[in-house]
Amino acid sequence: MNATTGLFNISSTGAITNSTAGAASGTLFQITGNGSITPTLASISNTSVMTTTGKLLDLTASAATTTTGLLTLNAAGLTTGYAQAINVNGTTALTSGGAINITGPTGAANQAAGSLLRISSTGATTGTTGSGNSLQISSGTVTGTVASITDAAVMTTTGNLLTLTANAATTATGILTMNANALTSGSAINIASSSAAQTGALQTITLSGS
């Protein structure tokens, strides 16, 4: 099969503009199914054993700079549903791979305000204690690590692995809360260092207010 055209090809080289945004604004390709309720509007399926560089969909926009979303999903009416569901739930799946892989800058990029993954919410939300409103991780892990943050660089001065900020909090019972009610001989917190040149402290608590 021709690798440059495929069975279906739409091509345009002009500098196209489109005054319509959001739904029904596809400039080169548009699918509209306003009457659909339960079916799937568009589907890509492959039953072969796909390996290495094989993929179902490849989106490339290498010249994009300030776009607000190369791939945009709008689902403002969602209540108990999900805007995106990724199922990698085979019994022997993910021995070394992952459901999502984000690759960042390979050089000395200045990410002063940039993030590889950003979760943002400005609404005055309420929730349930122990249930993450913006991020929730649920796991059945027995001996592994549920979440890990690793940095291999020589971190100095203001560099840190994790910053938690809640400067407007007043009567919170625990900005950082750890519950481990079944512990017997284990530890809720374990801080270790094998440094032979340690001159500081493994933990520092400072109260600067009065």
Side-chain angles (χ1 to χ4, degrees):
M1 183 178 292
N2 192 320
T4 59
T5 60
L7 296 178
F8 178 61
N9 181 45
I10 299 175
S11 179
S12 175
T13 58
I16 301 174
T17 60
N18 190 340
S19 59
T20 305
S25 61
T27 303
L28 296 182
F29 185 54
Q30 173 67 41
I31 299 176
T32 301
N34 294 332
S36 300
I37 298 177
T38 57
T40 302
L41 288 184
S43 176
I44 302 175
S45 178
N46 182 286
T47 58
S48 63
V49 180
M50 193 177 294
T51 60
T52 59
T53 56
K55 56 188 77 172
L56 281 181
L57 179 63
D58 192 323
L59 305 176
T60 302
S62 299
T65 54
T66 59
T67 176
T68 56
L70 289 178
L71 177 60
T72 301
L73 283 83
N74 297 310
L78 273 178
T79 54
T80 58
Y82 294 91
Q84 184 178 23
I86 301 176
N87 298 312
V88 191
N89 51 6
T91 56
T92 59
L94 296 183
T95 55
S96 62
I100 298 178
N101 182 29
I102 301 175
T103 302
T106 57
N110 182 9
Q111 289 186 250
S115 302
L116 293 181
L117 177 62
R118 180 182 295 271
I119 300 175
S120 178
S121 176
T122 58
T125 58
T126 58
T128 304
T129 301
S131 179
N133 282 12
S134 295
L135 178 63
Q136 174 68 38
I137 301 176
S138 300
S139 175
T141 300
V142 179
T143 58
T145 301
V146 174
S148 176
I149 301 175
T150 302
D151 184 274
V154 180
M155 193 177 293
T156 60
T157 59
T158 57
N160 61 70
L161 282 182
L162 179 64
T163 296
L164 304 176
T165 303
N167 291 333
T170 54
T171 59
T173 56
I175 299 289
L176 177 61
T177 301
M178 301 174 63
N179 298 310
N181 294 331
L183 272 178
T184 54
S185 58
S187 302
I189 298 178
N190 181 22
I191 302 175
S193 174
S194 60
S195 173
Q198 170 74 357
T199 58
L202 291 182
Q203 184 179 20
T204 301
I205 300 176
T206 303
L207 176 61
S208 58
S210 58

